[in-house]
Amino acid sequence: MQTRKTESFRQYIGGDFLEGAKTFASVNPASGKAWAEMPAADEKQTAAAVCAARGAFSDWSSQTASARGRFLFRLAEIIGKRAGELAKLETRDTGKILRETEAQIGYVAEFYRYFAGLADKTAGAHLPIDKPDMEVWTRREAIGVVAAIVPWNSQLFLAAVKLGPALAAGCTIVVKASEDGAAPLLAFARLVDEAGFPPGTVNVVCGFGEDCGAPLVSHPDVARVAFTGGVATARRVVSGTAKNLAHLTTELGGKSPMIVFADADLESAANAIVAGVFAASGQSCVACSRLLAQNKIKRKLLARIKEKAEAIKIGDPEKLATEMGPLCTRRQLENAEESVARAAEKEGAKLICGGARANVGGKFAGGFYWRPTILDCPPEGVGAAREELFAPVLCAHGFESEADAVRMANGGKYNFACGVFTHSLTRAHRVARAVRAGVVWLNTYRAVSPIAPFGGFGLSGYGREGGAESVLDYTRTKTVWLRTSDEPMADPFVMR
Ligand code: NAD
C-alpha cells in the first residue's frame, strides 16, 4: 500500500539547514493525524545556535544602522510575496483558519518594514550636563545575543515583534519555535536565508521546553530573552535567567474583560465580542473571554451573540469559507471540555450555547473541534471565568454601575487587555483610566499595529512589544564623558 509522504522541516543554525538531534511528528489539528516530521534540538544543538549568534554579533552590530534596515526591508518584501505559502503551512500545522493566517502573515511584512525604518532612528542623546568643560553623551548599543521563545499561536507575528527590533538594534538572535505548530517558523527561516542575512545573525531552532527552551534562556552568552507563552512557563524562564541575568520581557496569557454599557451600539459590541473571543478559535492572548454586560441590556446582548455564535461555519481550516477551525491540540480541547462541564454542572453557570465538541465528520472526524460556547455565570464566578482556557468560550456576567464594572474588570489576576463599549465619551475616558490592563480598546477590539506597543499588566506579563521604544529594549545605554579642557586634571590628593 502506498503511504502519503510526510513532509519534514529543518532548523536554521549558522546559515545551515540542519536536522534535529531527534525528530517528532506534528499533528494536523483538523484531522488529528500526523502530517509532518519536525526537528527537536537538544542542549548541544541549542548551544550551537547560541554560539552561531555569538559569532555573528560583532559583524552585525558593527554594520551601519541603515544597512541593517535594508536587510529588514528585504525580508519584509520577501514575506509579502510568500505570505500565502506561510499561511497555508500555519493553517495545516495549527488549525487556524486560512482567512486569518493569510491576513495576519500579510500584515507581518508591515512589522518588518516598520522596524527596518527604525533601525537608523534609534540613537542616544547629548546631555546638557551640569559641569563646565565636559561633554557627555549616551550611546545605545546592541545588547548582544537574544533568545526569543514563542508559543504555537501566531508564531510569525510573535517572532516579528522580537526579531524586528532586535535586528534593527544590532542584536543577533536565536528563535525557538514551539513544539506545537512549528512549521511556519521553520519555513520562515528559508526566507531569512533568501534575504541574505550574514550566517548566524538569525537562527531558528525547534524543540521542547526542557531540552531546548531551558538551556537557551539560561545560556551564559544570552543577554536578552523575549518570551511569549503561559504563566507557568514564564516562571521557569524567570528562574532560568537568574543564571545569566539576561534582560527579560514576558508576554503571557489573559482573561480579558469586555465591558458593555447599556448606551452602547449593541450590534457593534456583539460583532467585537464575536471577533474578540471566537476568532482563532479563542486561542489568542487578548481574547475577550470575560463579558461584563450592564444588566439592562445583558439578556438582549447575549441573545445576539448566541445567534452569531451559532451561525459560525466550523470546518476545514484550509477552506476560505470556513469561519472557525479546530483547537491546536487535543490537550486544549480536553481542557475546554472539562472546564465548561465543571462550570455548567457543578459551579452554577447556565450554558447559553455550545459546550460540546463539534462533529465536522468525514476526514475531520478526529479533529480537535469545539463549538463556540457562552456561559452565563453566577455572581460568585466559575473557574472557567478565572483561568485562561485558550478556547472559544465566553463567560458572561452582569453589572449595575460603572464602579461595579471597573471593580469586576480589575478583579481578575490577568490584566492583558480590556474592551469598553459605550457612547459616552466621558465614561470612556474614566474607564480607560481606571482599568488595569496593558491595552484598552474603546468601541473596538483586537486592533494591532507595529506602531502601537502591546503587552500586559499583572500575570499577563511585563515589558512591551511593538512601537518605537521596543527597539531601545534591545539596546543598553553607554554613557561617555569627555573633558574638553586642555589643562591637566588636578591631583585630588594635593591641597591647593
Ligand atoms: P507555553 O508556555 O506552554 O510554551 C511557550 C513556549 O515556551 C514554547 O515554545 C515552549 O516550548 C517553551 N518552553 C517550555 N518550557 C520552557 C522552559 N523551561 N524554558 C524556556 N522555554 C520553555 O505556551 P503555549 O501553550 O505554547 O502557548 C499558549 C500561551 O501563550 C497562552 O498562555 C497564551 O496566552 C500565551 N500567549 C501570549 C501572547 C502575548 O502576546 N501575550 C501571545 C500568544 C500567546
Side-chain angles (χ1 to χ4, degrees), residues 149-153 158 176-180 207-210 213-214 217 227-231 233-234 236-237 251-254 284-285 331-332 388 390 416 454 460 465:
I149 310 268
V150 293
W152 49 265
N153 66 312
L158 295 168
K176 185 191 105 50
S178 165
E179 58 273 40
D180 296 311
F208 292 83
E210 222 164 275
V217 299
F227 174 78
T228 302
V231 178
T233 316
R236 292 201 290 277
V237 171
E251 297 278 359
L252 312 178
S284 159
C285 54
R331 191 174 71 240
Q332 301 266 121
E388 182 187 47
F390 231 49
F416 205 112
F454 180 84
S460 290
E465 292 189 321

Short mmCIF file of all heavy atoms in Angstrom, two decimals, residues 149-153 158 176-180 207-210 213-214 217 227-231 233-234 236-237 251-254 284-285 331-332 388 390 416 454 460 465, ligand 1:
data_model
loop_
_atom_site.label_atom_id
_atom_site.label_comp_id
_atom_site.label_asym_id
_atom_site.label_seq_id
_atom_site.Cartn_x
_atom_site.Cartn_y
_atom_site.Cartn_z
N ILE A 149 11.52 33.20 22.54
CA ILE A 149 10.72 31.98 22.71
C ILE A 149 9.29 32.32 22.34
O ILE A 149 8.72 33.27 22.88
CB ILE A 149 10.73 31.51 24.18
CG1 ILE A 149 12.15 31.44 24.74
CG2 ILE A 149 9.95 30.21 24.34
CD1 ILE A 149 12.83 30.13 24.62
N VAL A 150 8.73 31.55 21.42
CA VAL A 150 7.34 31.83 21.03
C VAL A 150 6.45 30.62 21.26
O VAL A 150 6.93 29.48 21.22
CB VAL A 150 7.23 32.29 19.55
CG1 VAL A 150 7.89 33.64 19.35
CG2 VAL A 150 7.81 31.27 18.60
N PRO A 151 5.15 30.86 21.48
CA PRO A 151 4.21 29.75 21.59
C PRO A 151 3.78 29.34 20.18
O PRO A 151 4.30 29.86 19.20
CB PRO A 151 3.05 30.35 22.37
CG PRO A 151 3.04 31.78 21.96
CD PRO A 151 4.47 32.15 21.63
N TRP A 152 2.80 28.47 20.08
CA TRP A 152 2.42 27.96 18.75
C TRP A 152 1.45 28.86 18.02
O TRP A 152 1.29 28.75 16.82
CB TRP A 152 1.83 26.55 18.88
CG TRP A 152 0.78 26.50 19.94
CD1 TRP A 152 0.95 26.13 21.24
CD2 TRP A 152 -0.58 26.88 19.81
NE1 TRP A 152 -0.23 26.26 21.93
CE2 TRP A 152 -1.18 26.71 21.07
CE3 TRP A 152 -1.37 27.34 18.76
CZ2 TRP A 152 -2.51 26.99 21.31
CZ3 TRP A 152 -2.69 27.63 18.99
CH2 TRP A 152 -3.26 27.45 20.26
N ASN A 153 0.78 29.75 18.76
CA ASN A 153 -0.23 30.55 18.06
C ASN A 153 0.39 31.84 17.54
O ASN A 153 1.21 32.45 18.22
CB ASN A 153 -1.42 30.85 18.98
CG ASN A 153 -1.05 31.73 20.14
OD1 ASN A 153 -0.07 31.48 20.80
ND2 ASN A 153 -1.81 32.75 20.38
N LEU A 158 4.39 36.85 16.42
CA LEU A 158 5.10 36.97 17.71
C LEU A 158 6.61 36.94 17.52
O LEU A 158 7.35 37.54 18.30
CB LEU A 158 4.63 35.87 18.67
CG LEU A 158 3.16 36.01 19.06
CD1 LEU A 158 2.66 34.77 19.77
CD2 LEU A 158 2.94 37.24 19.93
N LYS A 176 13.28 30.26 19.17
CA LYS A 176 12.85 28.87 19.38
C LYS A 176 11.37 28.72 19.00
O LYS A 176 10.51 29.36 19.59
CB LYS A 176 13.02 28.44 20.84
CG LYS A 176 12.69 26.97 21.01
CD LYS A 176 12.59 26.55 22.46
CE LYS A 176 11.18 26.34 22.94
NZ LYS A 176 10.30 25.50 22.12
N ALA A 177 11.12 27.87 18.00
CA ALA A 177 9.73 27.57 17.65
C ALA A 177 9.15 26.65 18.71
O ALA A 177 9.88 25.92 19.38
CB ALA A 177 9.69 26.89 16.28
N SER A 178 7.85 26.68 18.82
CA SER A 178 7.18 25.81 19.78
C SER A 178 7.18 24.36 19.27
O SER A 178 7.29 24.11 18.07
CB SER A 178 5.75 26.30 19.95
OG SER A 178 4.97 25.33 20.58
N GLU A 179 7.03 23.45 20.19
CA GLU A 179 6.94 22.04 19.80
C GLU A 179 5.60 21.74 19.10
O GLU A 179 5.45 20.71 18.46
CB GLU A 179 7.12 21.11 21.02
CG GLU A 179 6.13 21.33 22.16
CD GLU A 179 6.57 22.40 23.16
OE1 GLU A 179 7.11 23.44 22.73
OE2 GLU A 179 6.35 22.19 24.36
N ASP A 180 4.64 22.65 19.24
CA ASP A 180 3.38 22.50 18.51
C ASP A 180 3.36 23.54 17.39
O ASP A 180 3.66 24.72 17.62
CB ASP A 180 2.18 22.78 19.45
CG ASP A 180 2.10 21.74 20.57
OD1 ASP A 180 2.17 20.56 20.26
OD2 ASP A 180 1.98 22.14 21.74
N GLY A 207 12.04 22.88 19.39
CA GLY A 207 12.24 21.84 20.40
C GLY A 207 11.33 22.00 21.59
O GLY A 207 10.47 22.88 21.63
N PHE A 208 11.55 21.14 22.55
CA PHE A 208 10.72 21.08 23.75
C PHE A 208 11.31 21.98 24.83
O PHE A 208 12.49 22.35 24.78
CB PHE A 208 10.60 19.64 24.22
CG PHE A 208 9.82 18.80 23.24
CD1 PHE A 208 10.44 18.24 22.13
CD2 PHE A 208 8.46 18.62 23.41
CE1 PHE A 208 9.72 17.49 21.20
CE2 PHE A 208 7.72 17.86 22.49
CZ PHE A 208 8.36 17.30 21.39
N GLY A 209 10.48 22.29 25.82
CA GLY A 209 10.89 23.21 26.87
C GLY A 209 12.16 22.80 27.58
O GLY A 209 13.10 23.58 27.71
N GLU A 210 12.16 21.56 28.02
CA GLU A 210 13.28 21.11 28.87
C GLU A 210 14.60 21.01 28.10
O GLU A 210 15.64 21.46 28.58
CB GLU A 210 12.93 19.74 29.42
CG GLU A 210 13.30 19.58 30.88
CD GLU A 210 12.59 18.39 31.45
OE1 GLU A 210 11.42 18.55 31.86
OE2 GLU A 210 13.19 17.31 31.44
N GLY A 213 14.28 24.95 25.27
CA GLY A 213 13.92 26.25 25.84
C GLY A 213 14.74 26.61 27.06
O GLY A 213 15.32 27.70 27.15
N ALA A 214 14.81 25.67 28.01
CA ALA A 214 15.50 25.95 29.28
C ALA A 214 17.00 26.23 29.07
O ALA A 214 17.51 27.25 29.55
CB ALA A 214 15.27 24.82 30.27
N VAL A 217 17.41 29.87 27.37
CA VAL A 217 17.24 31.12 28.13
C VAL A 217 18.30 31.30 29.22
O VAL A 217 18.56 32.43 29.65
CB VAL A 217 15.82 31.24 28.76
CG1 VAL A 217 14.76 31.26 27.68
CG2 VAL A 217 15.53 30.15 29.77
N PHE A 227 10.16 36.47 25.82
CA PHE A 227 9.35 35.26 25.98
C PHE A 227 7.87 35.54 25.76
O PHE A 227 7.32 36.50 26.32
CB PHE A 227 9.54 34.68 27.39
CG PHE A 227 8.62 33.51 27.67
CD1 PHE A 227 8.90 32.26 27.16
CD2 PHE A 227 7.46 33.68 28.42
CE1 PHE A 227 8.04 31.18 27.38
CE2 PHE A 227 6.59 32.61 28.65
CZ PHE A 227 6.88 31.36 28.13
N THR A 228 7.21 34.72 24.98
CA THR A 228 5.75 34.74 24.89
C THR A 228 5.25 33.32 25.15
O THR A 228 5.72 32.38 24.51
CB THR A 228 5.25 35.20 23.50
OG1 THR A 228 5.79 36.49 23.25
CG2 THR A 228 3.73 35.30 23.47
N GLY A 229 4.33 33.20 26.07
CA GLY A 229 3.79 31.87 26.39
C GLY A 229 2.92 31.96 27.63
O GLY A 229 2.38 33.02 27.96
N GLY A 230 2.81 30.86 28.33
CA GLY A 230 1.95 30.80 29.50
C GLY A 230 2.67 31.21 30.78
O GLY A 230 3.90 31.27 30.83
N VAL A 231 1.89 31.46 31.84
CA VAL A 231 2.45 31.95 33.11
C VAL A 231 3.36 30.92 33.77
O VAL A 231 4.45 31.26 34.26
CB VAL A 231 1.30 32.33 34.08
CG1 VAL A 231 1.85 32.80 35.42
CG2 VAL A 231 0.43 33.41 33.48
N THR A 233 5.15 28.59 32.44
CA THR A 233 6.44 28.53 31.73
C THR A 233 7.25 29.79 32.02
O THR A 233 8.48 29.71 32.20
CB THR A 233 6.22 28.37 30.21
OG1 THR A 233 5.21 27.41 29.99
CG2 THR A 233 7.48 27.96 29.49
N ALA A 234 6.56 30.93 32.06
CA ALA A 234 7.27 32.20 32.32
C ALA A 234 8.02 32.12 33.65
O ALA A 234 9.15 32.62 33.77
CB ALA A 234 6.29 33.36 32.35
N ARG A 236 9.35 29.52 34.96
CA ARG A 236 10.58 28.73 34.74
C ARG A 236 11.61 29.57 33.99
O ARG A 236 12.80 29.48 34.25
CB ARG A 236 10.25 27.44 33.98
CG ARG A 236 9.42 26.47 34.81
CD ARG A 236 9.53 25.04 34.29
NE ARG A 236 8.87 24.87 33.01
CZ ARG A 236 7.57 24.64 32.85
NH1 ARG A 236 6.78 24.56 33.90
NH2 ARG A 236 7.05 24.49 31.66
N VAL A 237 11.13 30.39 33.06
CA VAL A 237 12.06 31.24 32.29
C VAL A 237 12.70 32.28 33.22
O VAL A 237 13.91 32.53 33.15
CB VAL A 237 11.31 31.92 31.11
CG1 VAL A 237 12.17 32.97 30.44
CG2 VAL A 237 10.89 30.87 30.09
N GLU A 251 5.42 38.15 27.65
CA GLU A 251 4.06 38.40 27.11
C GLU A 251 3.29 37.12 27.41
O GLU A 251 3.57 36.09 26.81
CB GLU A 251 4.12 38.60 25.59
CG GLU A 251 4.91 39.80 25.14
CD GLU A 251 4.10 41.08 25.21
OE1 GLU A 251 2.92 41.03 25.59
OE2 GLU A 251 4.68 42.13 24.90
N LEU A 252 2.32 37.22 28.32
CA LEU A 252 1.71 35.97 28.81
C LEU A 252 0.22 35.89 28.50
O LEU A 252 -0.26 36.54 27.58
CB LEU A 252 2.00 35.84 30.31
CG LEU A 252 3.48 36.08 30.69
CD1 LEU A 252 3.69 35.99 32.18
CD2 LEU A 252 4.40 35.12 29.96
N GLY A 253 -0.45 35.11 29.28
CA GLY A 253 -1.86 34.84 28.97
C GLY A 253 -2.81 35.93 29.42
O GLY A 253 -2.39 36.95 29.96
N GLY A 254 -4.08 35.69 29.18
CA GLY A 254 -5.06 36.71 29.55
C GLY A 254 -6.42 36.11 29.85
O GLY A 254 -6.70 34.95 29.55
N SER A 284 -6.18 33.19 21.60
CA SER A 284 -5.50 34.47 21.46
C SER A 284 -5.29 35.02 22.86
O SER A 284 -6.19 34.93 23.71
CB SER A 284 -6.39 35.41 20.63
OG SER A 284 -6.03 36.74 20.87
N CYS A 285 -4.09 35.58 23.09
CA CYS A 285 -3.79 36.08 24.44
C CYS A 285 -4.71 37.24 24.82
O CYS A 285 -4.88 37.53 25.99
CB CYS A 285 -2.33 36.50 24.53
SG CYS A 285 -1.89 37.66 23.25
N ARG A 331 -4.97 18.44 23.94
CA ARG A 331 -4.87 18.92 25.34
C ARG A 331 -5.78 20.13 25.55
O ARG A 331 -6.52 20.22 26.52
CB ARG A 331 -3.40 19.30 25.54
CG ARG A 331 -2.92 19.57 26.92
CD ARG A 331 -1.41 19.78 26.90
NE ARG A 331 -0.98 21.03 26.28
CZ ARG A 331 -0.18 21.12 25.22
NH1 ARG A 331 0.26 20.04 24.62
NH2 ARG A 331 0.17 22.29 24.73
N GLN A 332 -5.75 21.06 24.58
CA GLN A 332 -6.58 22.26 24.66
C GLN A 332 -8.05 21.90 24.66
O GLN A 332 -8.85 22.48 25.38
CB GLN A 332 -6.36 23.13 23.41
CG GLN A 332 -4.98 23.59 23.19
CD GLN A 332 -4.82 24.95 23.79
OE1 GLN A 332 -3.97 25.11 24.64
NE2 GLN A 332 -5.65 25.89 23.41
N GLU A 388 -7.33 31.16 32.10
CA GLU A 388 -7.30 31.27 30.64
C GLU A 388 -7.57 29.89 30.05
O GLU A 388 -6.89 28.92 30.36
CB GLU A 388 -5.91 31.73 30.20
CG GLU A 388 -5.81 31.91 28.71
CD GLU A 388 -4.40 32.21 28.24
OE1 GLU A 388 -3.47 31.52 28.66
OE2 GLU A 388 -4.25 33.16 27.45
N PHE A 390 -8.02 29.43 26.53
CA PHE A 390 -7.45 29.40 25.18
C PHE A 390 -8.36 28.55 24.28
O PHE A 390 -7.92 27.64 23.58
CB PHE A 390 -6.02 28.85 25.23
CG PHE A 390 -5.05 29.75 24.51
CD1 PHE A 390 -5.03 31.11 24.76
CD2 PHE A 390 -4.15 29.24 23.58
CE1 PHE A 390 -4.13 31.94 24.09
CE2 PHE A 390 -3.25 30.06 22.91
CZ PHE A 390 -3.25 31.42 23.16
N PHE A 416 -4.40 41.62 30.68
CA PHE A 416 -3.81 41.92 29.38
C PHE A 416 -4.54 43.09 28.75
O PHE A 416 -4.04 44.20 28.70
CB PHE A 416 -3.83 40.68 28.46
CG PHE A 416 -2.75 40.79 27.43
CD1 PHE A 416 -1.66 39.93 27.45
CD2 PHE A 416 -2.79 41.78 26.47
CE1 PHE A 416 -0.64 40.06 26.53
CE2 PHE A 416 -1.78 41.92 25.54
CZ PHE A 416 -0.70 41.06 25.57
N PHE A 454 2.36 46.87 22.85
CA PHE A 454 1.45 45.78 23.14
C PHE A 454 2.03 44.99 24.31
O PHE A 454 3.21 44.65 24.31
CB PHE A 454 1.43 44.93 21.87
CG PHE A 454 0.56 43.72 21.88
CD1 PHE A 454 -0.78 43.85 21.58
CD2 PHE A 454 1.08 42.46 22.13
CE1 PHE A 454 -1.60 42.73 21.54
CE2 PHE A 454 0.28 41.34 22.09
CZ PHE A 454 -1.06 41.49 21.79
N SER A 460 -0.26 38.92 33.24
CA SER A 460 -0.19 38.91 31.77
C SER A 460 1.19 39.32 31.29
O SER A 460 1.42 39.40 30.07
CB SER A 460 -1.26 39.81 31.17
OG SER A 460 -2.53 39.25 31.37
N GLU A 465 5.98 44.97 23.51
CA GLU A 465 6.48 44.70 22.17
C GLU A 465 5.75 45.62 21.21
O GLU A 465 4.63 46.05 21.47
CB GLU A 465 6.26 43.22 21.82
CG GLU A 465 7.15 42.34 22.69
CD GLU A 465 7.19 40.87 22.33
OE1 GLU A 465 6.15 40.32 21.96
OE2 GLU A 465 8.28 40.28 22.42
P1 NAD B 1 3.77 27.52 26.77
O1 NAD B 1 4.08 28.43 27.89
O2 NAD B 1 3.42 26.11 27.07
O3 NAD B 1 5.00 27.44 25.76
C1 NAD B 1 5.55 28.61 25.19
C2 NAD B 1 6.96 28.32 24.71
O4 NAD B 1 7.82 28.12 25.83
C3 NAD B 1 7.10 27.05 23.86
O5 NAD B 1 7.96 27.33 22.79
C4 NAD B 1 7.72 26.06 24.83
O6 NAD B 1 8.47 25.05 24.21
C5 NAD B 1 8.62 26.98 25.62
N1 NAD B 1 9.07 26.44 26.91
C6 NAD B 1 8.51 25.49 27.67
N2 NAD B 1 9.24 25.32 28.82
C7 NAD B 1 10.27 26.17 28.75
C8 NAD B 1 11.36 26.47 29.61
N3 NAD B 1 11.54 25.84 30.78
N4 NAD B 1 12.23 27.44 29.25
C9 NAD B 1 12.06 28.10 28.09
N5 NAD B 1 11.06 27.86 27.21
C10 NAD B 1 10.17 26.90 27.55
O7 NAD B 1 2.61 28.23 25.93
P2 NAD B 1 1.76 27.63 24.72
O8 NAD B 1 0.78 26.66 25.24
O9 NAD B 1 2.65 27.26 23.60
O10 NAD B 1 1.01 28.98 24.25
C11 NAD B 1 -0.12 29.44 24.86
C12 NAD B 1 0.18 30.53 25.86
O11 NAD B 1 0.88 31.62 25.25
C13 NAD B 1 -1.09 31.12 26.41
O12 NAD B 1 -0.99 31.33 27.78
C14 NAD B 1 -1.20 32.43 25.67
O13 NAD B 1 -1.99 33.40 26.28
C15 NAD B 1 0.22 32.83 25.57
N6 NAD B 1 0.37 33.84 24.53
C16 NAD B 1 0.66 35.13 24.88
C17 NAD B 1 0.76 36.12 23.90
C18 NAD B 1 1.10 37.54 24.25
O14 NAD B 1 1.46 38.32 23.37
N7 NAD B 1 1.00 37.92 25.49
C19 NAD B 1 0.56 35.79 22.58
C20 NAD B 1 0.26 34.49 22.26
C21 NAD B 1 0.17 33.52 23.25
#
